[in-house]
């Protein structure tokens, strides 16, 4: 993601993703967007060394549903993003 994407995601999700630009650029963290029906509904911050979620939230930093977390976790493991 680039700075413009993170600003847009921050507005859509009503959170502070726009403050992660430096951390993403320096590869200290990874940000993954989650879409449903083409609409951004959540974002996950992933520790690239541990390959684990730091946080995974929806609009307004609301906790995502357990089913979404499980589905996204499974897919990210298949892709080698999570361990």
């Amino acid at each position: 993601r680039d700075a413009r994407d993170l600003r847009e995601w921050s507005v859509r999700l009503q959170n502070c993703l726009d403050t992660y630009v430096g951390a993403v650029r320096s590869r200290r963290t990874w940000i993954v967007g989650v879409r449903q029906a083409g609409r951004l509904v959540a974002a996950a911050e992933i520790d690239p060394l541990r390959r684990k979620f730091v946080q995974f939230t929806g609009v307004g930093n609301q906790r995502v549903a357990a089913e979404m977390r499980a589905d996204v976790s499974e897919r990210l493991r298949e892709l080698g993003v999570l361990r």
Side-chain angles (χ1 to χ4, degrees), residues 14-42:
Q14 301 169 19
N15 63 22
C16 63
L17 276 173
D18 57 328
T19 67
Y20 286 76
V21 172
V24 170
R25 280 188 182 147
S26 66
R27 298 185 176 133
R28 290 187 317 259
T29 198
W30 295 340
I31 304 293
V32 175
V34 178
R35 295 182 183 274
Q36 285 182 332
R39 200 173 119 243
L40 184 70
V41 296

Side-chain angles (χ1 to χ4, degrees), residues 6-19:
L6 290 178
R7 282 192 295 274
E8 180 183 318
W9 289 11
S10 180
V11 170
R12 288 180 188 229
L13 295 176
Q14 301 169 19
N15 63 22
C16 63
L17 276 173
D18 57 328
T19 67

